[in-house]
Amino acid sequence: MTQIDTSVPHSARIWNYWLGGKDNYPVDEAAGDAYTAVFPGIVTIARGSRAFLGRGIRYLVQETGVRQFLDVGTGLPTVDNTHEVAQRLAPESRAVYVDNDPLVLTHARALLTSTPEGATAYEPISLFEPELILQAAARTLDLTRPTALILSGILGHVADHDQACDLVRRLMAGLPPGSHLCLNEGSRGTDPAYERAQDAYNETGAVPYFLRPVEQIEAFFEGLELVEPGVVSVPLWHPEPGAPTEPIGQHGGLGRKP
């Protein structure tokens, strides 16, 4: 059993706290509250990112017929995990979650539930081993059939942009035509207060997360056919009727492999 250090704040647990989850400790709440004191909008960004993921999966299931999902850097389970959204609409959907964080591994049993018709699996592999990820995913998914690669707020942990692009290319290279990339990342150019707060957080010695200019986020979709409206601030991507559409410092999109 992995020992969990509850004396030090953990980024995945802080994110879980902002999303309204319960898998966190007082030290995480304190760190999360300290960040929100500087930048209250972080909760909107966390929840906006999660809502975008849900809309992206619903689009994939309903509009493209995709029934297989490879979610890399999944983080802690909260509400509306990838397989839950997909299986609600198509119970036969299959999902593989990939995360090499031992904390996430201890919570994986909460992910490993599925409809009888579908399947879920958890693979403890690093983002930096894309070929291993694909090899492991093939135990649960049929990678000759269209598959959606989910990268939600994970590439900001890769400091070098060229390396991040290479990881996306290598993952998509293992998926057949008709597969999709659903991606969203923290962005620069929309919210200076967010940029200041995140830059300050990165200097605390915590695991850094790098915000990127929008054109660098667009570059992750190179060679793919972008679904309209392209890469936009996440509230603007296929918003639900009546939902807020104020731009935030989180951009995302959906691209199809031709």
Side-chain angles (χ1 to χ4, degrees):
M1 184 71 176
T2 303
Q3 287 294 110
I4 298 175
D5 186 349
T6 61
S7 68
V8 178
H10 186 289
S11 60
R13 296 197 308 251
I14 296 169
W15 195 256
N16 175 271
Y17 172 56
W18 287 332
L19 286 172
K22 300 287 184 258
D23 290 313
N24 49 73
Y25 298 96
V27 66
D28 307 305
E29 296 182 17
D33 290 344
Y35 194 117
T36 56
V38 176
F39 178 61
I42 190 61
V43 174
T44 302
I45 285 173
R47 295 181 180 179
S49 169
R50 196 69 179 183
F52 164 82
L53 174 62
R55 296 195 305 277
I57 294 166
R58 286 194 291 274
Y59 181 95
L60 286 161
V61 172
Q62 294 174 313
E63 304 296 330
T64 75
V66 166
R67 296 292 184 269
Q68 302 193 122
F69 299 85
L70 177 55
D71 188 333
V72 179
T74 177
L76 283 166
T78 55
V79 294
D80 281 348
N81 299 296
T82 293
H83 76 283
E84 292 169 333
V85 177
Q87 290 181 349
R88 208 173 289 145
L89 298 166
E92 71 276 19
S93 297
R94 304 172 79 84
V96 172
Y97 294 95
V98 178
D99 202 302
N100 72 327
D101 189 323
L103 174 73
V104 174
L105 181 57
T106 65
H107 290 274
R109 63 184 178 276
L111 287 174
L112 296 178
T113 57
S114 172
T115 56
E117 305 94 325
T120 62
Y122 177 87
E123 301 290 350
I125 305 171
S126 166
L127 168 67
F128 296 96
E129 300 177 290
E131 287 76 25
L132 267 184
I133 288 172
L134 291 163
Q135 187 181 335
R139 292 196 283 264
T140 302
L141 309 178
D142 177 358
L143 297 187
T144 67
R145 295 173 50 221
T147 301
L149 173 63
I150 310 291
L151 295 170
S152 185
I154 182 65
L155 294 174
H157 291 301
V158 182
D160 183 82
H161 181 249
D162 289 340
Q163 183 183 22
C165 286
D166 180 61
L167 292 169
V168 176
R169 275 194 297 270
R170 287 158 67 189
L171 285 165
M172 289 303 296
L175 305 180
S179 294
H180 286 72
L181 170 64
C182 180
L183 177 149
N184 74 100
E185 287 292 328
S187 58
R188 292 190 178 276
T190 302
D191 190 335
Y194 178 34
E195 294 165 29
R196 287 193 297 271
Q198 188 60 42
D199 291 346
Y201 177 84
N202 287 351
E203 290 168 8
T204 65
V207 176
Y209 180 87
F210 300 97
L211 306 181
R212 289 198 158 98
V214 177
E215 59 268 21
Q216 290 191 0
I217 298 173
E218 291 171 337
F220 294 134
F221 292 92
E222 186 180 348
L224 305 179
E225 300 167 346
L226 277 168
V227 172
E228 289 295 328
V231 175
V232 295
S233 182
V234 292
L236 303 176
W237 197 90
H238 295 253
E240 303 283 356
T245 53
E246 187 72 26
I248 61 176
Q250 188 85 8
H251 278 65
L254 187 65
R256 181 184 182 276
K257 182 174 180 176

